[in-house]
Amino acid sequence: MAQVVRDIRATAQHHSKRFESAIPLIASENLLSPYAKELLISDLHSRYAEGLPGERYYEGNEDVDHIENVCLDLARRLFRCSFADVRPISGTVANLAVLKGLAEPFELVGTSRLADGAHISSASFGAFGLRSVKPVYYAWDEERMTIDVPRTKEILRAVRPKLCLFGLSLFLFPMPIDELRPTLEEIGARGWYDGAHVLGLIGGGQFQDPLREGCQVLSSSTHKTLPGPQHGILLGEGLEPDGAKRLASGAFPGVTSNHHLHTMAALAVSLAEHLEFGREYARQTVANAKALAQALNERGFDVLAEPLGFTQSHTIAVRVTNEGGGEAVARALADAGIISNKNLLPGDASPKHPQGIRLGSPEVTRVGMKEREMGRIADLFDGLLHKGRSSDEIRTEAAQLKAGFTTLQYCFGAGEAAYRYYDLVGRDPS
Ligand SMILES: *Cc1c(COP(=O)(O)O)cnc(C)c1O
């Protein structure tokens, strides 16, 4: 059995080294600061704390209560809202909590199509299906890569859903919530924002502010542009007391029992860091995404939404039909040390053969890369996909570029190694 332990450790170490020498461009991934990370192996990991601070079911939770209260206070400060709940253990679980608390089975819920960038939460085979709610799809403007407001107003007036979800996993531009707000009010619908991808940009004041624009609820992951632990969060503003109560009970006992106290403690640290460093981090993250889009466009890549400046977020979408399609391109890039993902694009004929790749700047920004490095990354894409250079060559150059950027920035303890495998015990398990 000791062999298993050695194998798993060695593989985790190998995994860390691989990412250390790669260019990580997954839009939904980020790196945790050292002070947040160390809490993941604290004793908090071993404990249960069902309920809310001061109303627990188990003894021994006084310190957990303090940590949760601090975490809630930081969340309400960072996102300037009156309601927060940090018990959902992931973004999907946060979405389930909203559906459990604020929707009934067979109800109609507004959302976007998967091909237009929505998350699987909105799918019949995802959270929507689990709660048996029926999606009402917004009309989509492919050129502007956002909701088509006039046509969506007509749909909403005709169908009158009581809950409308705004938020995407291919999230290039802010959602036109402000413009749809009068229609939401007219039909008596609640606005719900899924900020999983853009939470760090919202917290850093560099994207839209959904709780001020017409949404009462914001559900999210806490580990994408917000560089926190893998966890979830619910935020709310302007909820009536009964709505807040139903939302909280959607989280617990609805879709969680224990809420992973070690990650909640890490979240408190990450929220405090975002209050301090989030504005500059979010600004550079968006600047880097724009720079990467521009640089790829100049090298002949079909980056979506050119007339609109490609993106206002951390994400860009590239149509790679000419380079061999999303699947082949993402695989070739990974072989050359550039980590991305294939992605459906609007108008894709087959969901099995996406014509796009999605690229994101959160992690490369986190290790200190700026606009200049985005140009160097675009050169690697060009060399591999247009100039026929070998993946071995590109992988070597990617590692050389990355070697200058292996420490964390925008956090307490900035400058510490980002990808180090923490060999905390150092014992041989024999
Ligand atoms: C990633 C994502 C989620 C799910 O978050 P997890 O923390 O992975 O469960 C939900 N909604 C959107 C829009 C996402 O992109």
Side-chain angles (χ1 to χ4, degrees), residues 253-272:
V255 294
T256 63
S257 154
N258 194 33
H259 51 291
H260 298 189
L261 311 175
H262 55 313
T263 58
M264 178 181 72
L267 177 58
V269 170
S270 301
L271 292 170

Side-chain angles (χ1 to χ4, degrees), residues 28 89-95 117-121 166-171 194-198 219-224 230-232 358:
S28 55
I89 55 172
S90 78
T92 301
V93 169
N95 286 346
H119 184 250
I120 42 172
S121 290
F166 301 96
L168 301 166
S169 298
L170 181 66
F171 211 155
D194 179 348
H197 261 267
V198 292
S219 59
S220 188
S221 312
T222 56
H223 46 264
K224 298 184 182 179
Q230 294 202 339
H231 201 82
R358 185 185 68 170

Side-chain angles (χ1 to χ4, degrees), residues 17 50 405:
K17 288 222 168 80
E50 291 179 342
F405 300 92

Side-chain angles (χ1 to χ4, degrees), residues 292-303:
L292 182 60
Q294 182 66 37
L296 287 169
N297 172 270
E298 284 165 8
R299 287 157 185 78
F301 285 93
D302 181 7
V303 186

